[in-house]
DNA sequence: CTGTTAGCGCATTCAG
DNA sequence: CTGAATGCGCTAACAG
């Protein structure tokens, strides 16, 4: 017999399964004598409650689904850590899924998570489409969008003000005397990327620098792609003196390409990243960047979600939490 | 009514729940006519199968528990990505837990995972104690240890040859002319750390360099601690010309401290890391390191585990997979 | 080809 | 204070 059940204990203790259940769950209406007896026997038998059965019965799985685009990216890894920690503190486990920035994978992940009856969902949506999200909403499964948000549909969300962040980064470079600033963007269907671009444009406008289409490139989230792209751009002799990258992760690839061309940072090319990942400060040339409270994005998102799940929040409207980003000036610009 | 059940479909289709179950699971013995009808109704109603019920019935949760020490560490993040990918391919979800290198957390995580009836476990054990692992073995729950292994108890494992890796790193430095090599170690109860130390000693011995106790320091897995430790060591005027670090992650902290003292890498101090994390090659001074097939550690470990779960492997003895590490020579040494 | 019965392990009625 | 009955949603065994 692999797993001990309430019945097994009940038999040994010569009581009903109901009583065992009560004793094990610290419910009232059990004499301390029988309770002690039951607890002792449960321990001897090595009883472990079956949460599948419990969940089926209670309609609560104490599990939340976490859908991220890439855990090996330190930005998401930090968020994941915050999520795990907050979830654990409140007694929840997390099922983690990677989407690789692909909508079909997101769709599939959500499907399985619903089948596994997670109590709620935390997601950095791919945003190429969002019907899968709508389906979740229809089912009234609590969902919190992290680090990204939708314009067209309403969901709870925990984000940072990316327009402001893009503005701060660009303004910083402008104040350092740069006028031709290259923006290596993330994919534009991702809200954080498009909003940082908006902030970039806004800063240019404020300082009366004309916006140039050709100074926006990339549309990727991958470090390797940022590297090859930068190499190509450097060959093109594109005219710029500074680069603002969508993320520190991309900045790493960009810096590598620049170094290979023997250009000096920040003298030949100034660089401002985004996210303030742990390594940003450990680099040979510490990276000037926009700080994102990654860990807190994770913890706050999780708490918002669990409040929703447990009905503490009876908000009719979607909850929104928006952090204010800050520029961290270091050596790269 | 929140969730549609087999019964709901059965009523609408005017058949029994069993027939619906058969139709939905592509079992034989259903006329294609009723099957079509059932499928159509299921779709209309937006049916989503309840995996909790299915799991309770089948005693298979199609979920594996993953216990890592720190997902925000890029080494583990890469492993996690490999695990998620392989698990997904074979139809499993992963519940992720962080232990923060604390035994109590590991114990707690395993407890919950057993309660949630995961089909198997993937773990980078803390190794301060291992009674919790023994308990899992007693219950005959498949378990694969990743990147670390036990000497005293038998478990399936997927690791890299850390003695060899430590040897290669040290030998490389010796061949570069270094004789006073500092080893910034991980916690010694962790097999990878103690084995790399063993490799370090073995290399010294081979080249007839006396081992000096005071040249082994650290015993930490945290970048911040490696940084402060290195600062202290530099003040001590300890006599060394090269550093071998337990991980690239630690090396980042070490390099930061060295840079602050205006020492040149590799001229003043040569550095060899371990793991070959993605950033190692993107650094200003690309890091010489020992390559670990992190992603594959994750995928192979997962496949080994699932083979075990599904009874494909009928091995009586624990399975062991050992990768051969390779030294990647770059600029830091 | 289809339906009935039964039970996975648990906790909530409702009676005593 | 305790127990019997019931059902969460699903499927395997058995009967027709």
């Amino acid at each position: 017999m692999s797993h001990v059940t309430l019945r097994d204990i009940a038999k040994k203790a010569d009581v009903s399964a109901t009583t065992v259940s009560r004793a094990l769950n610290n419910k009232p209406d059990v004499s301390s004598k029988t309770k002690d007896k039951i607890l002792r026997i449960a321990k001897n038998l090595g009883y472990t409650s079956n949460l599948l059965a419990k969940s089926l019965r209670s309609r609560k799985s104490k599990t939340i689904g976490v859908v991220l685009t890439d855990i090996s990216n330190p930005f998401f890894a930090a968020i994941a850590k915050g999520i795990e920690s907050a979830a654990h503190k409140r007694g929840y486990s997390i099922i983690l899924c990677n989407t690789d920035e692909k909508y079909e994978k997101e769709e599939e992940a959500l499907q399985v998570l619903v089948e596994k009856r997670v109590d709620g969902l935390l997601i950095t949506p791919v945003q190429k489409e969002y019907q899968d999200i709508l389906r979740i909403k229809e089912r009234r499964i609590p969902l919190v969008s992290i680090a990204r948000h939708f314009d067209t549909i309403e969901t709870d969300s925990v984000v940072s003000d990316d327009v402001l962040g893009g503005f701060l980064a660009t303004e910083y470079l402008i104040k350092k005397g740069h006028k031709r600033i290259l923006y290596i963007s993330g994919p534009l269907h991702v809200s954080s990327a498009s909003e940082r671009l908006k902030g970039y444009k806004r800063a240019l406008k404020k300082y009366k620098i004309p916006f140039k289409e050709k100074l926006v490139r990339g549309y990727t989230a991958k470090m390797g792609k940022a590297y090859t792209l930068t190499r190509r751009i450097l060959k093109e002799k594109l005219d710029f003196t500074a680069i603002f990258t969508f993320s520190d992760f991309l900045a790493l690839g960009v810096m590598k390409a620049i170094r290979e061309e023997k250009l000096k940072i920040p003298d030949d090319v100034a660089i401002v990243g985004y996210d303030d990942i742990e390594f940003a400060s450990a680099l040979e040339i510490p990276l000037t960047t926009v700080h994102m409270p990654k860990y807190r994005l994770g913890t706050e998102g999780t708490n918002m979600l669990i409040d929703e799940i447990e009905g503490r929040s009876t908000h009719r409207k979607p909850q929104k939490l928006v952090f204010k980003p800050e520029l961290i000036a270091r050596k790269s610009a």
Side-chain angles (χ1 to χ4, degrees), chain A:
Chain A
M1 41 128 266
S2 57
H3 280 126
V4 180
T5 71
L6 286 190
R7 277 190 137 71
D8 299 328
I9 300 175
K11 275 181 197 158
K12 277 243 179 189
D14 203 37
V15 293
S16 72
T18 309
T19 304
V20 176
S21 171
R22 282 198 271 255
L24 259 29
N25 290 293
N26 279 314
K27 297 267 163 101
D29 296 336
V30 188
S31 75
S32 60
K33 201 175 136 197
T34 54
K35 184 169 176 177
D36 288 349
K37 187 175 169 191
I38 288 169
L39 258 35
R40 191 168 37 73
I41 294 179
K43 194 165 193 180
N44 282 343
L45 259 39
Y47 173 76
T48 311
S49 70
N50 185 328
L51 255 33
L52 288 176
K54 231 168 181 160
S55 298
L56 180 61
R57 184 85 237 276
S58 67
R59 298 162 169 289
K60 280 177 197 110
S61 64
K62 284 288 185 174
T63 303
I64 65 191
V66 177
V67 183
L68 300 177
T69 64
D70 178 11
I71 9 166
S72 71
N73 177 325
F75 173 69
F76 295 110
I79 290 179
K81 193 174 184 185
I83 292 174
E84 200 278 337
S85 166
H88 178 80
K89 269 192 193 126
R90 294 185 66 170
Y92 286 74
S93 306
I94 63 173
I95 295 185
L96 187 71
C97 302
N98 245 201
T99 62
D100 234 348
E101 215 72 76
K102 294 188 180 120
Y103 177 72
E104 313 77 57
K105 285 202 177 184
E106 176 179 300
E107 219 175 358
E108 208 181 324
L110 292 181
Q111 174 67 23
V112 174
L113 291 169
V114 172
E115 290 183 350
K116 295 211 167 163
R117 296 297 189 264
V118 295
D119 295 333
L121 289 158
L122 248 19
I123 179 170
T124 49
V126 171
Q127 302 191 297
K128 272 180 195 155
E129 296 182 54
Y130 52 83
Q131 304 183 347
D132 55 346
I133 309 282
L134 287 176
R135 257 175 260 141
I136 299 295
K137 288 204 57 162
E138 272 170 26
R139 284 170 178 270
R140 309 184 149 270
I141 297 171
L143 176 149
V144 174
S145 174
I146 296 192
R148 300 176 179 186
H149 66 88
F150 294 97
D151 289 328
T152 44
I153 59 179
E154 299 256 295
T155 70
D156 286 359
S157 64
V158 177
V159 298
S160 171
D161 184 339
D162 287 304
V163 177
L164 176 58
F167 178 85
L168 291 175
T170 312
E171 180 179 56
Y172 177 85
L173 285 168
I174 293 172
K175 287 192 171 168
K176 285 274 182 177
H178 297 283
K179 290 187 191 310
R180 299 181 306 281
I181 303 165
L182 178 62
Y183 173 44
I184 304 287
S185 177
L188 287 186
H189 50 80
V190 174
S191 66
S192 53
S194 62
E195 300 202 337
R196 285 169 203 176
L197 174 58
K198 200 180 285 178
Y200 165 86
K201 288 179 180 173
R202 196 167 288 179
L204 292 183
K205 193 165 189 180
K206 175 169 175 189
Y207 293 94
K208 305 202 182 346
I209 297 172
F211 168 71
K212 284 184 187 148
E213 201 79 61
K214 68 172 103 167
L215 283 181
V216 180
R217 301 286 289 272
Y219 312 112
T220 179
K222 303 207 170 158
M223 181 178 130
K225 290 207 172 168
Y227 165 73
T228 49
L229 171 69
T230 307
R231 287 201 60 100
R232 201 174 329 127
I233 290 175
L234 257 18
K235 291 230 166 62
E236 285 173 18
K237 303 286 176 198
L238 191 63
D239 188 25
F240 63 89
T241 62
I243 304 178
F244 166 39
T245 64
F246 168 65
S247 72
D248 291 351
F249 196 51
L250 291 189
L252 249 25
V254 169
M255 289 169 94
K256 186 180 177 189
I258 288 175
R259 205 161 47 240
E260 288 178 5
E261 287 293 320
K262 310 284 184 205
L263 294 174
K264 291 292 171 207
I265 302 169
D267 300 333
D268 297 329
V269 186
I271 297 187
V272 175
Y274 208 109
D275 291 343
D276 193 21
I277 60 178
E278 195 170 4
F279 317 99
S281 65
L283 294 175
E284 178 79 13
I285 301 167
L287 193 60
T288 292
T289 189
V290 178
H291 181 74
M292 281 281 274
K294 302 160 289 297
Y295 188 84
R296 284 202 66 201
L297 242 37
T299 56
E300 297 292 335
T302 304
N303 284 322
M304 181 185 285
L305 179 69
I306 297 177
D307 285 348
E308 204 71 44
I309 290 170
E310 298 182 347
R312 294 199 196 182
S313 86
T314 45
H315 315 284
R316 291 261 45 96
K317 297 182 218 162
Q319 292 289 99
K320 306 273 177 202
L321 182 58
V322 182
F323 286 97
K324 287 278 164 260
E326 274 175 55
L327 190 121
I328 311 288
R330 288 198 271 249
K331 299 284 176 64
S332 69

